[in-house]
Amino acid sequence: MDRVRSPDPETGGVYYARRRVPTQDPPADASKHKRWNFKTFMFLRGRLVLMLLGLCGGSMVIGLLHPPSQNGSSTQLLSDIKNPPGPNKPMESILTERELQIDEGEGQKNVKKGDSKMPRWAAAAAKKSRRNRLEATIAETAAEKEDVESGKEDDALERWIEEKEEEEEEEEEEEEEEEEKEEEEEEEEEEEEDGWGEGEDEWDEDKGEHEEEEKEVGNEHIASLAERLMPRMKGMEGLDVQAREAKEKMASSKHRQKKGGKGPAAAAQETADNHVPETHEDTLGSVFHPVPRDPSLPTHASLALAEAQAILAMLARTEEEQEALDAEREVAVKEAIMHAWDGYKQWAWGMDELAPVSKEGLNWFGLGLTLVDSLDLLWLVGEKDEFQGARDWVVSELNVDQNVHVNVFETTIRVMGGLLSAYHYSNDEVFLIKAQALGANLRSAMNSPSGVPWSDAILATKHAFAPASASESSISEATSIQLEFKYLAYASKDESLYRLAEHSMRAVDAARAELPTEGHRQALLPMFIDAKTGNFNQEATITLGARGDSYYEYLLKQWLLTGKKEDFYKQRFLEAVEGIKAELYRHSESEGKAFIAELGNGVKFSPKMDHLVCYLPGTLALGVYHGLDPEGTRGHMEMAKELMVTCFEFYNQTATGLSPEIAHFRVDASNTARRSSSGSSDMYVKPADAHNILRPETVESLFYLYRVTEDRVYQEWAWQIFVAFEKHAKIETGGYSGLRNVEALDSARIDKMESFFLGETLKYFYLLFADPALLSLDEVVFNTEAHPFPVLTLEEDWLVYRGKGEQPPVAAGKEKEEVVEVKEEEMEAEKGSAREESVKEERDEEEGIEEMGEEFRREEEDEVLTAEI
């Protein structure tokens, strides 16, 4: 499913990356020149006084004016008086042009005072040096007073010295203000350049403040797991020590560059983020790709899980207490389901999605997405009356033949998946008939020249294609419709449809074989493939997030759907997991948070993880449950548990307790710049990715981990997330909405309740606290929209791959002619029925006329009889 970007708060529209705005020198201050003209007058007076002193003092005064040159002596200051500034050259420029000699240990360091990048310690030393020179001048001038005969000259010299001291103090104050202003501007520019605080942070100069910050970051963030699991409980000392040691190591090696400069790690990261290679080969051998973490080191997940399990053990719940608690939570989740459903029913009935804030419906395809997505959920929670009402709408209102442009993948997983699941549980043929009609309109997507499915289609014309705006199919679009079509083929007893779906997967696998053979490049697929040529875009990103996620999920689930009989999919899944471990599975520094990275352009390592990737822990656990890696030698379950903790941290570390869309991870211990707004040094969120649209992936994986391990920690984490949804996403008038910023307790709303919130998120919440026998993992396979399908018992002949399996063109043409003939027969039948109705109407009319005639005749006879009487 595609990501939705939150708008930029300033522009109000699409988010645009900020760029540094070049600073300009401020215009000269005219009043400053006036002040310097007055100073010039004062300097001339002082010069006149010195001339008089020279005349009176003779060689003694000259000797004082030219002693051996020493730093901080009167020579430099008095030489300035010999060359007073003119009207266009203020005293400040003289000091700027001269290099100040600053003692630093045994050596000396030349620093220009006019340099805006002067470090604070250098500026302070410069000020102190000027003060020393001024004091020395005052002392020498005081000594001269004894040899000066004119009292008036002494008074003039004292006044000049006092004025000079006042001017120096004014200069110092102005310089301090200018330096502070420049520092603030530089910090703001750096934050804007790297995306609102994403840039190079500066360590606090005050050692006490820095140590206090370290303590807060270590204690507050690392204790967040225990605090959220059991409010007001503190702990996590082990992780606190680990975090503090890592921070001390980073502090000891921090860079000593001028203010505003970038460290080597930040510069490398910025280059990697901004560089777009000219060719695929430009990136080879030039990307920082961290190696897997030393297995002997403790990880964040191992410590967090141990801590959470210890907290649960302290609660010491009995089995009866736990069952009662599960029942209470199950009821609470059901109430949330009905609150969401009632909002949709009241404000958006029959439309695709609910806008809960504005209390209206939204349409994407016009196929009632939320209603169809919720059918099996209504059945599972026992709301049969609501289910029946939705069923009646499907019969009378759902039009799968309308002239609408749809995405094949989204329509298949949501609408076809929802109809087939409802058919499986209710055994109502109405749902199967609608699914068959929809499948007939979408199956042309798999009839591309290469066999790789097209991404889009027009339902009314049964025409599939690639839109001009996106000529390539994403790997998710091309490989995540087969589960639904195979079940439809099984339920419809249509072997040709099954073979067509299988052929589309084999076409993608043929393109995979053309990828480079080094490393795991044939196991980790680029996110785009051309349905016309059947070739991958090898410069596309390799990701398990948006546009790539469900390919890996469906490798395992197609093997499970067929009763574990198609080992082709099992083998591809195992190869993919090995590639993920080798290339994408990494841990952050220094806390050791596991994450799945991306490879930009197919090779450029990017420590970025979508929330969508959080389906992976559950998929790995499901594979282990079904016999993959039973001994743990491949590390599947270990990886699942590690990633599960990270996905929980997506929620646990934010202010609202809800996850952002994307998180980034720090993998370079020397780069202390990137931190999340919630205080973690390892995991941070960019402002453009801080929104939440009610996604289900983390809750999905918590469901699988709980079912497989029976560890109630996963139930507790799920409940914590559910409470956050109730607190921050619930709309009192019905439904739930997304948030634009999960770090703001008063965040603006995203006025949309996605169909998958009912179809997936709330369904997995319900299953986490319901009877584990409900929807056994041995009996059903969930599609990527959480619609459960039964494990199939297929004919052995169906499982033998023989190519496309479609009928030849002639036969297909005959089939088309037969369809036309059937339609013509239906039309003739309708015409015949119309003729019969017409004849009946004519007959009725004639009978009516005859009756009227007879009545008229009887009336005439009565009148004649009356007259005779």
Side-chain angles (χ1 to χ4, degrees):
M1 285 163 270
D2 296 341
R3 293 196 299 270
V4 180
R5 288 282 184 182
S6 58
D8 180 59
E10 294 185 2
T11 63
V14 179
Y15 172 80
Y16 295 97
R18 295 192 174 194
R19 294 287 184 267
R20 173 173 288 199
V21 180
T23 57
Q24 297 180 354
D25 295 331
D29 188 356
S31 62
K32 190 174 183 179
H33 288 292
K34 292 180 182 178
R35 185 168 64 252
W36 281 115
N37 288 337
F38 174 75
K39 291 180 180 180
T40 302
F41 171 73
M42 297 299 299
F43 276 121
L44 290 175
R45 283 184 56 189
R47 188 174 181 183
L48 179 60
V49 170
L50 290 178
M51 290 175 64
L52 293 174
L53 288 173
L55 292 173
C56 297
S59 60
M60 180 177 63
V61 175
I62 296 174
L64 289 172
L65 293 175
H66 297 283
S69 178
Q70 297 291 334
N71 290 340
S73 69
S74 63
T75 304
Q76 295 176 354
L77 183 61
L78 296 180
S79 66
D80 291 344
I81 301 176
K82 290 181 182 180
N83 299 283
N88 297 324
K89 187 176 183 181
M91 178 64 72
E92 184 180 11
S93 65
I94 295 176
L95 296 178
T96 299
E97 292 169 359
R98 183 178 65 250
E99 291 185 348
L100 302 176
Q101 304 296 324
I102 302 171
D103 293 337
E104 186 181 16
E106 297 179 357
Q108 294 179 339
K109 184 176 183 181
N110 295 331
V111 180
K112 292 185 178 181
K113 177 181 173 295
D115 188 354
S116 62
K117 304 296 185 181
M118 180 184 295
R120 289 184 180 178
W121 63 267
K127 294 171 188 174
K128 184 176 181 181
S129 178
R130 290 207 309 271
R131 174 70 63 183
N132 292 338
R133 293 199 304 274
L134 187 59
E135 291 176 353
T137 302
I138 294 173
E140 291 176 4
T141 305
E144 287 293 323
K145 288 182 179 180
E146 299 178 358
D147 299 326
V148 178
E149 297 178 357
S150 176
K152 294 182 179 180
E153 293 175 356
D154 293 342
D155 294 340
L157 183 59
E158 287 179 358
R159 285 196 303 272
W160 174 83
I161 292 173
E162 292 174 356
E163 292 170 356
K164 181 67 176 177
E165 183 177 5
E166 292 176 356
E167 292 171 1
E168 291 288 344
E169 292 176 353
E170 291 177 359
E171 286 181 358
E172 292 175 1
E173 294 176 355
E174 291 176 358
E175 290 167 0
E176 290 177 355
E177 292 177 357
E178 291 177 359
E179 289 175 359
E180 292 177 356
K181 184 176 181 181
E182 289 175 356
E183 290 172 1
E184 293 176 356
E185 291 177 352
E186 289 171 1
E187 292 175 356
E188 292 176 358
E189 290 172 357
E190 290 171 3
E191 291 178 355
E192 290 178 358
E193 181 183 23
D194 290 331
W196 305 345
E198 171 198 339
E200 186 81 15
D201 293 340
E202 294 289 331
W203 283 97
D204 295 328
E205 297 297 331
D206 185 12
K207 182 177 180 180
E209 293 180 358
H210 180 64
E211 292 177 350
E212 183 179 357
E213 179 187 1
E214 288 181 349
K215 184 177 181 179
E216 292 176 355
V217 169
N219 290 336
E220 293 181 4
H221 172 68
I222 299 172
S224 61
L225 177 67
E227 288 178 324
R228 289 184 179 273
L229 190 60
M230 289 185 61
R232 300 181 179 85
M233 287 194 66
K234 305 296 181 181
M236 311 296 280
E237 291 80 4
L239 282 179
D240 185 42
V241 172
Q242 184 186 25
R244 180 175 289 110
E245 290 177 352
K247 289 179 179 293
E248 291 174 354
K249 184 183 295 185
M250 289 186 286
S252 65
S253 61
K254 71 176 182 179
H255 63 85
R256 295 183 177 181
Q257 297 186 340
K258 290 184 178 181
K259 180 73 175 177
K262 295 183 181 298
Q269 182 67 43
E270 183 180 47
T271 302
D273 290 342
N274 297 330
H275 175 63
V276 177
E278 297 295 332
T279 64
H280 181 72
E281 287 75 12
D282 290 344
T283 63
L284 297 178
S286 62
V287 179
F288 170 68
H289 196 143
V291 298
R293 186 178 179 86
D294 185 349
S296 64
L297 296 175
T299 63
H300 174 77
S302 60
L303 296 172
L305 270 175
E307 185 69 21
Q309 290 164 349
I311 293 173
L312 276 181
M314 290 169 57
L315 295 176
R317 294 179 185 141
T318 65
E319 191 65 27
E320 292 75 13
E321 290 174 338
Q322 187 65 55
E323 291 178 356
L325 181 61
D326 289 346
E328 291 177 4
R329 292 175 173 179
E330 179 184 348
V331 171
V333 174
K334 183 177 178 180
E335 290 175 354
I337 291 170
M338 297 315 298
H339 182 79
W341 175 255
D342 289 342
Y344 171 78
K345 186 178 177 181
Q346 181 176 2
W347 307 112
W349 180 254
M351 303 188 76
D352 285 338
E353 291 155 331
L354 167 66
V357 178
S358 56
K359 302 175 187 177
E360 60 183 3
L362 305 172
N363 263 340
W364 184 12
F365 302 143
L367 297 172
L369 295 183
T370 297
L371 187 147
V372 180
D373 243 351
S374 305
L375 286 168
D376 51 14
L377 178 61
L378 294 172
W379 181 274
L380 292 172
V381 299
E383 291 293 333
K384 300 300 172 61
D385 292 340
E386 298 295 337
F387 178 86
Q388 185 64 34
R391 182 257 186 203
D392 294 341
W393 183 90
V394 170
V395 173
S396 60
E397 301 295 335
L398 179 57
N399 181 9
V400 298
D401 297 316
Q402 58 183 299
N403 188 25
V404 62
H405 177 178
V406 301
N407 179 271
V408 176
F409 162 67
E410 295 287 359
T411 306
T412 299
I413 65 172
R414 300 192 196 205
V415 183
M416 186 188 296
L419 291 171
L420 290 173
S421 182
Y423 165 69
H424 168 62
Y425 286 104
S426 69
N427 202 30
D428 191 332
E429 293 287 336
V430 165
F431 299 115
L432 179 59
I433 293 171
K434 285 289 184 180
Q436 289 170 335
L438 180 60
N441 294 338
L442 294 177
R443 70 183 291 165
S444 61
M446 296 179 286
N447 271 324
S448 70
S450 67
V452 174
W454 298 108
S455 62
D456 292 56
I458 303 295
L459 292 181
T461 62
K462 300 178 174 60
H463 173 60
F465 57 95
S469 59
S471 59
E472 299 172 322
S473 298
S474 73
I475 192 62
S476 287
E477 291 170 328
T479 62
S480 305
I481 61 176
Q482 289 76 13
L483 206 70
E484 294 77 9
F485 272 101
K486 287 182 176 181
Y487 180 38
L488 176 62
Y490 174 81
S492 305
K493 298 180 174 56
D494 185 351
E495 183 180 353
S496 66
L497 180 59
Y498 185 93
R499 295 196 178 282
L500 182 61
E502 180 66 16
H503 176 68
S504 66
M505 281 299 298
R506 301 297 179 130
V508 173
D509 193 67
R512 178 200 64 83
E514 300 299 323
L515 293 173
T517 57
E518 64 268 13
H520 299 269
R521 289 301 182 264
Q522 291 190 348
L524 304 175
L525 304 187
M527 66 190 298
F528 290 119
I529 186 171
D530 193 319
K532 185 176 182 180
T533 64
N535 295 325
F536 277 106
N537 180 349
Q538 295 191 30
E539 295 188 3
T541 298
I542 294 175
T543 177
L544 271 71
R547 300 185 179 275
D549 50 353
S550 46
Y551 162 71
Y552 303 93
E553 176 188 1
Y554 270 30
L555 290 178
L556 174 65
K557 290 184 175 180
Q558 287 190 76
W559 177 62
L560 298 178
L561 185 72
T562 58
K564 306 178 186 177
K565 293 181 179 179
E566 290 185 306
D567 286 341
F568 164 80
Y569 293 104
K570 172 186 174 182
Q571 185 61 33
R572 290 289 179 267
F573 177 75
L574 292 175
E575 292 172 357
V577 174
E578 290 303 310
I580 292 167
K581 288 176 57 181
E583 303 280 352
L584 306 179
Y585 178 59
R586 293 294 183 268
H587 290 79
S588 66
E589 295 289 347
S590 61
E591 293 175 351
K593 290 181 179 177
F595 67 95
I596 300 296
E598 294 182 352
L599 296 180
N601 299 108
V603 292
K604 185 174 67 176
F605 184 87
S606 175
K608 162 186 173 292
M609 179 172 165
D610 296 356
H611 181 274
L612 282 163
V613 181
C614 287
Y615 78 92
L616 185 60
T619 300
L620 291 169
L622 180 63
V624 172
Y625 178 82
H626 284 285
L628 300 183
D629 192 23
E631 303 298 329
T633 55
R634 298 176 184 268
H636 288 199
M637 183 54 78
E638 177 186 359
M639 183 161 56
K641 291 181 178 180
E642 294 269 338
L643 291 171
M644 189 71 264
V645 173
T646 299
C647 290
F648 172 66
E649 286 298 318
F650 268 60
Y651 294 81
N652 193 47
Q653 75 167 30
T654 66
T656 60
L658 296 177
S659 75
E661 182 74 358
I662 302 171
H664 294 252
F665 296 83
R666 185 173 56 80
V667 295
D668 183 358
S670 65
N671 182 5
T672 62
R674 307 189 184 280
R675 304 177 183 177
S676 75
S677 55
S678 57
S680 172
S681 62
D682 278 8
M683 180 176 171
Y684 65 97
V685 180
K686 296 182 179 180
D689 305 322
H691 56 281
N692 180 288
I693 60 172
L694 314 176
R695 287 201 184 276
E697 288 77 21
T698 294
V699 186
E700 172 186 355
S701 284
L702 288 170
F703 160 71
Y704 281 116
L705 264 295
Y706 171 62
R707 284 288 185 91
V708 174
T709 66
E710 299 182 353
D711 189 339
R712 292 194 179 274
V713 165
Y714 302 115
Q715 276 188 318
E716 297 298 324
W717 289 351
W719 179 250
Q720 177 180 311
I721 295 171
F722 174 77
V723 171
F725 275 122
E726 287 290 292
K727 183 176 181 180
H728 297 286
K730 188 175 185 178
I731 304 297
E732 292 303 321
T733 54
Y736 293 75
S737 74
L739 300 182
R740 295 195 178 276
N741 183 5
V742 296
E743 291 292 356
L745 294 177
D746 58 348
S747 171
R749 300 280 187 165
I750 298 176
D751 193 13
K752 188 177 184 180
M753 186 178 78
E754 298 277 357
S755 75
F756 53 67
F757 183 64
L758 271 165
E760 298 185 72
T761 310
L762 290 178
K763 183 184 297 176
Y764 284 123
F765 273 131
Y766 184 80
L767 292 174
L768 270 156
F769 304 109
D771 186 347
L774 181 63
L775 299 185
S776 168
L777 298 182
D778 293 310
E779 298 174 357
V780 300
V781 177
F782 291 87
N783 84 333
T784 194
E785 194 73 8
H787 296 304
F789 299 158
V791 175
L792 307 182
T793 304
L794 295 172
E795 299 288 341
E796 292 295 331
D797 187 59
W798 283 31
L799 300 175
V800 179
Y801 177 64
R802 296 190 178 91
K804 190 173 183 180
E806 281 286 275
Q807 295 178 345
V810 176
K814 290 181 179 179
E815 181 181 356
K816 184 176 181 180
E817 291 175 359
E818 292 175 358
V819 173
V820 172
E821 290 176 0
V822 170
K823 290 185 177 180
E824 290 177 351
E825 290 176 359
E826 292 176 351
M827 292 175 63
E828 288 296 329
E830 292 177 356
K831 290 179 180 179
S833 177
R835 284 196 296 270
E836 290 178 358
E837 291 180 358
S838 177
V839 170
K840 183 179 180 181
E841 291 176 356
E842 292 176 356
R843 187 184 303 113
D844 292 342
E845 184 177 358
E846 290 175 357
E847 291 176 357
I849 293 174
E850 290 176 357
E851 290 177 358
M852 291 175 63
E854 290 178 357
E855 185 177 357
F856 181 75
R857 284 192 298 271
R858 283 195 299 269
E859 290 177 354
E860 286 183 340
E861 290 175 356
D862 290 342
E863 290 176 356
V864 171
L865 181 61
T866 301
E868 290 178 352
I869 294 172

